[in-house]
Amino acid sequence: MKVSSTILLASSLYQAGQTVGSACAPDAFPSINASSFKIAAVREPPPNFALPVGLNKTWVDLNLNATITQAIEIIEEAKADGVSLLAFPELYFPGYPVAINTAYTPENIAQYVEQSMSVDSPNFQRLVNAFRNATMYGSFGFSEIGDDAIFMAQALIGPDGSILIHRRKLRPSGVERDIWSDGDASGLVVETTPYGRMGMLECWEHFHPTMTFPMLAQLENIHIGAFPYAYDLGADPLAWESADVGLSAARWYATNMGGTVIMPAVGTAAIFVDGGVTANISNATANPTWKYVSTTIDTTQFSNATFDLDGEQSWGALKQMIETFPSNIPQVGSSFFSKKVNPIQNITH
């Protein structure tokens, strides 16, 4: 179950003089309707997720296999509902370990590492196959194991099962950085598809200009802003993890890019269109049978431009910022921007 609404995007919302439509011509997937392109943000908790969402900080043992099995059921339901792009929350596989925000043990982390997956694993392929069988674009966050560490990763899968984007969160936030290792800037990419230019960031990456600027400069049409979880609007368990903060970040991003942002999150999920208009939203405790929220957009109205030399997010703007950087701040590096790697041995013992 979910709720759906229909939104038609006006080409006037996009940069003047940019060509529209050609980037969204029909391709090899006749089941996908470019002018009635249904997008959805998952809000269903993974199996064993600590409830109530965001308020229960008890450690729970999350189960990757069970989560993938549930996700495949959601994908199949979304396919029957006509969804063409389905986005899962940050670290949905196997689930976000909410207890790290209060207390955890090395044994807890060892169990979580065991439930992480690599991109060449059978579990990852199960998800790829599910999206391919549904002829659906899919975005999901997962704890990726590789290079003797775990990473907060995201993948964008095409309806033919191709991996369009595989990225690692550039810089995990807060206590996350003691567990997951840093990604790299090569993941700050936007993919051109027949249904618009798509990109992804996770949670607090939306608060960092070093991460949002290069994405906005690439003129996304559809952005997946994945958050891990969110309680009801107005609840303030910890201000920084409230639904109000996450939704504000996602809506700000939609306004700044002038397009569509899908915000999947366990509990409260939302979709913003037309540069910040709320197309769909549901509180964590409302509509408990809805596994996702959805809306329909007209992707034929999207621009196919890949950059704007005169844009506020452009090389010219970046160059001006560099040249006018406050002289009282030393122009030197810092340990925060040195890539941090947490070997598995160190975080599990």
Side-chain angles (χ1 to χ4, degrees):
M1 292 290 294
K2 69 284 142 198
V3 66
S4 175
S5 59
T6 300
I7 303 292
L8 298 180
L9 298 179
S11 60
S12 60
L13 290 169
Y14 297 90
Q15 301 278 353
Q18 294 180 349
T19 306
V20 281
S22 61
C24 307
D27 68 351
F29 310 109
S31 63
I32 299 178
N33 188 335
S35 61
S36 185
F37 188 82
K38 196 166 191 177
I39 55 179
V42 172
R43 63 191 293 267
E44 177 83 356
N48 298 346
F49 195 87
L51 300 175
V53 172
L55 301 181
N56 187 344
K57 299 298 196 295
T58 305
W59 181 273
V60 295
D61 287 348
L62 295 160
N63 186 310
L64 178 62
N65 284 325
T67 305
I68 291 176
T69 297
Q70 174 180 284
I72 292 173
E73 294 174 355
I74 296 173
I75 292 168
E76 291 172 348
E77 178 178 323
K79 171 61 177 177
D81 189 37
V83 172
S84 295
L85 168 57
L86 182 68
F88 286 86
E90 180 182 39
L91 284 185
Y92 195 80
F93 302 97
Y96 191 96
V98 181
I100 64 169
N101 292 320
T102 52
Y104 62 89
T105 67
E107 291 77 19
N108 295 150
I109 300 304
Q111 189 276 334
Y112 192 84
V113 168
E114 289 176 356
Q115 300 304 309
S116 301
M117 67 177 173
S118 64
V119 293
D120 58 357
S121 67
N123 277 320
F124 189 92
Q125 192 60 46
R126 286 176 66 195
L127 284 171
V128 170
N129 291 343
F131 286 117
R132 183 184 63 216
N133 293 340
T135 319
M136 181 190 298
Y137 287 91
S139 169
F140 58 90
F142 64 106
S143 181
E144 179 187 359
I145 186 167
D147 304 325
D148 190 37
I150 56 175
F151 301 86
M152 304 179 77
Q154 271 180 305
L156 178 65
I157 307 300
D160 59 352
S162 57
I163 302 176
L164 302 178
I165 300 175
H166 166 225
R167 66 177 301 270
R168 294 169 172 176
K169 191 173 185 177
L170 183 58
R171 190 144 289 113
S173 309
V175 71
E176 292 173 356
R177 207 174 185 220
D178 294 331
I179 301 169
W180 291 274
S181 294
D182 289 351
D184 58 75
S186 66
L188 300 176
V189 294
V190 174
E191 178 73 15
T192 298
T193 78
Y195 311 101
R197 293 174 52 73
M198 301 181 188
M200 306 179 293
L201 290 174
E202 296 186 287
C203 197
W204 271 36
E205 288 187 303
H206 295 87
F207 293 94
H208 298 295
T210 49
M211 302 165 202
T212 60
F213 192 99
M215 296 296 291
L216 290 164
Q218 296 174 75
L219 299 186
E220 296 162 280
N221 304 125
I222 299 175
H223 175 82
I224 295 98
F227 284 72
Y229 59 88
Y231 195 61
D232 286 346
L233 278 163
D236 202 17
L238 292 171
W240 53 266
E241 67 173 357
S242 69
D244 305 70
V245 170
L247 289 163
S248 294
R251 190 172 190 179
W252 166 87
Y253 197 95
T255 302
N256 207 350
M257 70 181 279
T260 297
V261 169
I262 306 169
M263 180 190 154
V266 172
T268 298
I271 300 174
F272 300 99
V273 298
D274 289 11
V277 174
T278 303
N280 211 333
I281 189 170
S282 182
N283 265 340
T285 58
N287 312 308
T289 61
W290 295 354
K291 296 177 181 177
Y292 52 82
V293 296
S294 63
T295 197
T296 302
I297 58 177
D298 182 357
T299 66
T300 65
Q301 300 302 304
F302 284 149
S303 164
N304 65 356
T306 60
F307 60 87
D308 180 4
L309 289 178
D310 295 320
E312 294 175 335
Q313 283 85 26
S314 63
W315 167 248
L318 179 61
K319 184 171 182 290
Q320 183 184 62
M321 285 187 283
I322 293 172
E323 292 174 346
T324 59
F325 195 77
S327 59
N328 62 299
I329 300 177
Q331 296 184 34
V332 297
S334 69
S335 59
F336 181 81
F337 284 94
S338 298
K339 186 170 183 177
K340 183 178 181 181
V341 176
N342 298 309
I344 290 174
Q345 175 74 15
N346 292 1
I347 62 176
T348 58
H349 292 85

